[in-house]
Amino acid sequence: SYVLTQPPSVSVAPGQTARITCGGNNIGTKSVHWYQQRPGQAPVLVVYDDTDRPSGIPERFSGSNSVNTATLTITRVEAGDEADYYCQVWDKSSDHVFGGGTKLTVL
Amino acid sequence: QVQLVESGGGVVQPGRSLRLSCAASGFTFGSYGIHWVRQAPGKGLEWVAVISNDGVNQYYADSVKGRFSISRDNSKKTLSLKMNSLRAEDTAVYYCAKEVGYCSGGSCRLAFDYWGQGTLVTVSP
C-alpha cells in the first residue's frame, strides 16, 4: 500500500513562513491535495492538484510537488492558521491515501 | 451554497449494525462521486468508501470491505453508509465529502472539496 509521511508537528512564529512536507515514493508523479482541519471542525481543502487554490483560500497558501516530496507553504503565518494539515493522493493500489497529519503551532 | 449534512451516528454494540445518511444540497448531486472519510478520536483521516455519480461503482477501503455498503438516491440527493459487524476500531467521526477532479488513463486527480460536519459513531459494549 502507498504511504504518505508527514512530520507530526511544525512550529513557526507569527509573520514567518511555515513549510509542511509530505513524503511518498514518486509522489511527484501524483496529484497532491492539502487540507486544513481546525479543532472540532471538518477538514477544508486549501490546495489541490499540487499547486491550485480553491476560491476563498488566501494566496498565502501554496503548494509544490517534486520527486519524493510535496510541500505546503504558508507565508505570513497568522494565529488563525494554527490547525492540523493533511496531504492526500489517489493511488492505483490504495485508492485515496492521507498522510498522518501535521500539527501547525503558531508560537 | 454547497451543504452536506450527516446523520445517524450513535453508540452501538460490537457486532451490531448502523446506517449513516448524508443529505446534500447546493450542487448537482447526480454529477459527482461522494465519499465517506472517517477520523478516529485523536487520529488522522482515513478514506472509507466512494460511490460514483450514477451509483454504479462502489469502492471500499480494505478495513471495511465486506462489512460496509455505500449507496445513494439521486432523486432525494442522499447518500447512505450501511455498517455491519461493527468493531471497536470503527469508532470515529464519519464525514461525507464531495469529490472534485477526474480520472483518465488509469490515473485519478481527485480531491474532496466540500465536507459535512461529521457524525460520531461509537462502538462499545
Side-chain angles (χ1 to χ4, degrees), chain B residues 106-124:
Chain B
S107 181
C108 295
R109 303 168 72 91
L110 293 171
F112 309 117
D113 61 345
Y114 290 96
W115 299 61
Q117 85 289 351
T119 187
L120 176 61
V121 173
T122 302
V123 183
S124 178

Side-chain angles (χ1 to χ4, degrees), chain A residues 35-83:
Chain A
Y35 303 87
Q36 175 193 69
Q37 186 179 33
R38 295 188 173 105
Q41 297 186 18
V44 173
L45 181 67
V46 294
V47 168
Y48 66 99
D49 290 350
D50 297 338
T51 60
D52 294 338
R53 277 185 316 277
S55 61
I57 301 300
E59 292 183 5
R60 302 185 297 105
F61 289 80
S62 64
S64 63
N65 187 14
S66 180
V67 192
N68 292 314
T69 303
T71 302
L72 174 70
T73 301
I74 310 170
T75 58
R76 302 184 301 281
V77 167
E78 303 172 357
D81 298 331
E82 190 160 285

